[in-house]
Amino acid sequence: MTSTGERADGHDTAAARAENAGGHGDWPALHRTIDTGRYPLDEPGSADWQRVVARARSELAADGCCVLSGFIRPELLDTLRAEGEALAPHAYYTVEKVNAYNIPLDADLPPDHPGNIVLERGNAFVARDLIPAEALIQTLYTNPDFQRFIADCFGLPGLHEFADPLAGLCLNVVAPGMSHPWHFDTNAFTVSMLTAAPEAGGVFEYCPAIRTPEEENLAAVRSVLTGGGEHLIRRLELRPGDLQLFQGRFSLHRVSPVQGTTQRHSAIFAYSEQAGVIGNVERTRQLFGRVLPDHLAAAGNAVRGDRLLD
């Protein structure tokens, strides 16, 4: 435990991480963490920056997904994993019946609507207010250089952290035998990073652009949920430290059941084009087992960029 600079309260200090990364205590935390040789976040607008951004944009346009492999320096992968292991016991664990839209199961929908197909959600989330400020994933999420890079990859002039005090940054935990079932994201794009891989299973599966801001494409969604849409599904084998850029608002996706004895952990960095995005009460209670005054105050006045079901 002491080799990772862990304090008595279970949280790594920034100074200890700098020592473990090679003693470069004068480097900004972001550049101690990221492999800047491959991903030059310290050179905004440079030729190498533009090369990485162009690749990301091309893959997002073609597939709705881009993976920047080896984004985290390899010497920090053990720290990334250890921080996740320390946080995982604080996740809200529940096995719950849901649908792909994360709306109430008794919603008034036509009989053949895919929202009537009941799924079992067994994954868990550690909310942002439980993640310490010095954690690697927290320092990444809040760093302006990282945010500028992400915005550029998505072709945006800028972006905002979620105003949601629980869902802006979270750690997703999938225990053996559990899965994160088919669903859509609330935000138009998602940034995530695998921090601990399971022994087997836990594969990220997705259906690129299965819906658009104007069209739910219910028949295709229903086909996937009922086992007839295999031709629409793509799969990724992610590794710890890989950064994934994903258009999860429009791409149905899931994490397949985890096998073996090791949990699957991934950090989810939620940003939006609009300021003030807060999760709805129903979904927040599903994911975190609680809501805060911010969620209640925003009820019925959510900031959204489309009129999709959810």
Side-chain angles (χ1 to χ4, degrees):
M1 298 294 283
T2 55
S3 64
T4 60
E6 191 172 61
R7 298 202 317 243
D9 61 2
H11 299 153
D12 289 347
T13 65
R17 286 206 307 272
E19 180 180 350
N20 291 336
H24 300 288
D26 56 334
W27 285 16
L30 179 69
H31 307 311
R32 291 196 306 268
T33 303
I34 293 171
D35 185 347
T36 51
R38 300 176 66 183
Y39 306 106
L41 271 68
D42 53 344
E43 300 176 1
S46 67
D48 287 339
W49 169 292
Q50 295 295 345
R51 173 183 49 80
V52 175
V53 166
R55 174 203 150 194
R57 290 184 181 181
S58 175
E59 293 182 7
L60 286 166
D63 194 45
C65 183
C66 172
V67 177
L68 302 179
S69 60
F71 193 77
I72 297 296
R73 292 183 180 277
E75 61 268 27
L76 291 182
L77 293 180
D78 284 345
T79 299
L80 192 68
R81 175 187 51 77
E83 289 183 345
E85 290 178 349
L87 288 170
H90 301 291
Y92 174 65
Y93 288 89
T94 183
V95 177
E96 191 170 13
K97 302 297 183 183
V98 297
N99 55 39
Y101 302 92
N102 287 291
I103 60 174
L105 296 179
D106 59 356
D108 185 16
L109 301 172
D112 62 345
H113 195 289
N116 292 318
I117 298 173
V118 179
L119 308 170
E120 184 175 274
R121 186 180 67 80
N123 64 308
F125 288 91
V126 179
R128 182 181 184 180
D129 62 353
L130 300 176
I131 300 175
E134 67 270 23
L136 287 176
I137 58 174
Q138 188 80 262
T139 60
L140 274 180
Y141 180 65
T142 59
N143 188 278
D145 293 329
F146 181 70
Q147 294 174 5
R148 177 179 177 182
F149 173 73
I150 297 302
D152 213 1
C153 286
F154 282 108
L156 302 172
L159 46 73
H160 300 271
E161 297 176 22
F162 264 28
D164 193 307
L166 301 182
L169 169 71
C170 57
L171 184 75
N172 182 238
V173 179
V174 188
M178 298 294 153
S179 69
H180 192 176
W182 291 110
H183 66 284
F184 292 102
D185 292 338
T186 302
N187 46 312
F189 53 88
T190 304
V191 183
S192 63
M193 178 183 293
L194 190 71
T195 65
E199 295 171 19
V203 177
F204 184 83
E205 302 181 344
Y206 66 110
C207 306
I210 197 171
R211 68 177 183 177
T212 70
E214 297 78 28
E215 177 54 55
E216 291 279 7
N217 203 1
L218 299 176
V221 173
R222 183 176 183 83
S223 177
V224 172
L225 298 182
T226 55
E230 177 64 27
H231 64 289
L232 299 172
I233 301 173
R234 300 183 187 180
R235 295 175 173 86
L236 286 179
E237 293 285 351
L238 298 167
R239 297 171 298 178
D242 290 350
L243 187 71
Q244 181 184 5
L245 311 181
F246 183 59
Q247 294 170 330
R249 180 69 175 150
F250 310 113
S251 298
L252 187 68
H253 55 289
R254 75 166 186 166
V255 174
S256 69
V258 167
Q259 304 168 23
T261 60
T262 305
Q263 293 182 342
R264 181 190 193 274
H265 296 166
S266 58
I268 300 175
F269 310 89
Y271 301 106
S272 63
E273 294 181 67
Q274 301 87 21
V277 172
I278 294 178
N280 68 48
V281 171
E282 175 73 17
R283 191 165 192 178
T284 299
R285 202 181 303 277
Q286 282 181 0
L287 298 182
F288 303 108
R290 57 193 169 107
V291 295
L292 299 179
D294 288 1
H295 301 102
L296 299 175
N301 192 33
V303 176
R304 292 288 185 271
D306 56 60
R307 295 186 178 182
L308 294 172
L309 187 56
D310 202 359

